[in-house]
């Protein structure tokens, strides 16, 4: 199904290099907002730097694909030391395709991690890569997101690992 992630974890920090090896993943495409930090927050999730270091030590390639604009994505990506694609047009596969080309690994070895079914997970499905859904770090406050989250509810996994 288009809205079903390959896996679902309680946090990006729960995803380990061992899990990725088991999935056949050597590269990650990462979402920013409500996956690695809260909306419009320049501060990464506590523990994210250690998580990134662990991924790098295990030769997991990583980059960001975000629907956000350059002024939001650039400073956050630079802080994390990650390459990025802003204005990724998720769920369209455009941003994922650009990221896959930059990462230089087969699609079968790429997984995205994000918090939204209708952008991150659907985009991964349309591009043909694996996906990991994480719950949002905090509830969004705008009406648009409240409607979007309500629409996602019937499709959410029953359990996060």
């Amino acid at each position: 199904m288009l809205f079903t992630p390959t896996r679902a974890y309680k946090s990006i920090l729960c995803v380990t290099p061992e899990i990725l090896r088991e999935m056949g993943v050597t590269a990650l495409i990462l979402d920013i907002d409500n996956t690695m930090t809260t909306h419009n927050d320049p501060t990464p999730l506590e523990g994210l730097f250690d998580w990134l270091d662990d991924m790098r030590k295990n030769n997991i390639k990583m980059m960001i694909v975000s629907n956000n604009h350059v002024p939001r994505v650039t400073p956050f990506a630079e802080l994390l030391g990650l390459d990025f694609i802003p204005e990724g047009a998720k769920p369209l596969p455009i941003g994922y395709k650009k990221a896959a080309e930059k990462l230089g690994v087969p699609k079968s070895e790429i997984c995205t991690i994000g918090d939204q079914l209708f952008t991150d997970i659907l985009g991964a499905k349309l591009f043909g890569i694996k996906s990991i859904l994480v719950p949002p770090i905090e509830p969004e406050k705008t009406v648009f997101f409240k409607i979007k989250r309500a629409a996602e509810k019937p499709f959410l996994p029953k359990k996060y690992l």
Side-chain angles (χ1 to χ4, degrees):
M1 179 148 170
L2 285 176
F3 304 122
T4 305
T6 309
R7 302 239 179 128
Y9 289 91
K10 292 177 185 170
S11 165
I12 191 171
L13 304 178
C14 295
V15 180
T16 65
E18 293 76 27
I19 288 168
L20 297 176
R21 265 195 293 283
E22 174 194 310
M23 293 174 69
V25 171
T26 63
L28 291 172
I29 294 174
L30 306 169
D31 179 51
I32 294 177
D33 289 324
N34 255 339
T35 300
M36 295 194 289
T37 187
T38 54
H39 275 276
N40 299 314
D41 187 347
T43 309
L45 180 66
E46 188 175 329
L48 188 64
F49 286 112
D50 290 337
W51 183 85
L52 291 168
D53 287 345
D54 195 27
M55 292 296 154
R56 288 180 180 114
K57 285 177 191 163
N58 283 276
N59 300 313
I60 304 293
K61 294 180 176 187
M62 298 174 286
M63 73 178 303
I64 293 169
V65 173
S66 175
N67 282 350
N68 252 306
H69 306 291
V70 172
R72 165 66 172 137
V73 181
T74 302
F76 192 79
E78 287 176 350
L79 178 66
L80 302 182
L82 296 174
D83 196 2
F84 61 94
I85 308 282
E87 301 174 13
K90 296 183 283 186
L92 299 176
I94 299 163
Y96 290 112
K97 185 176 187 306
K98 288 179 185 175
E101 289 168 2
K102 283 187 170 193
L103 288 164
V105 300
K107 283 174 30 173
S108 62
E109 295 179 19
I110 301 173
C111 181
T112 193
I113 303 178
D115 69 295
Q116 293 186 57
L117 288 177
F118 298 153
T119 55
D120 306 309
I121 305 309
L122 178 57
K125 288 278 187 168
L126 293 174
F127 185 57
I129 61 173
K130 297 171 183 99
S131 61
I132 294 174
L133 179 69
V134 295
I137 295 169
E138 72 176 19
E140 294 91 354
K141 295 160 185 68
T142 66
V143 172
F144 171 75
F145 268 105
K146 287 180 182 183
I147 293 168
K148 194 173 181 182
R149 293 296 183 185
E152 285 182 339
K153 208 167 195 159
F155 303 103
L156 291 174
K158 304 288 183 247
K159 183 175 138 184
Y160 291 86
L161 303 173

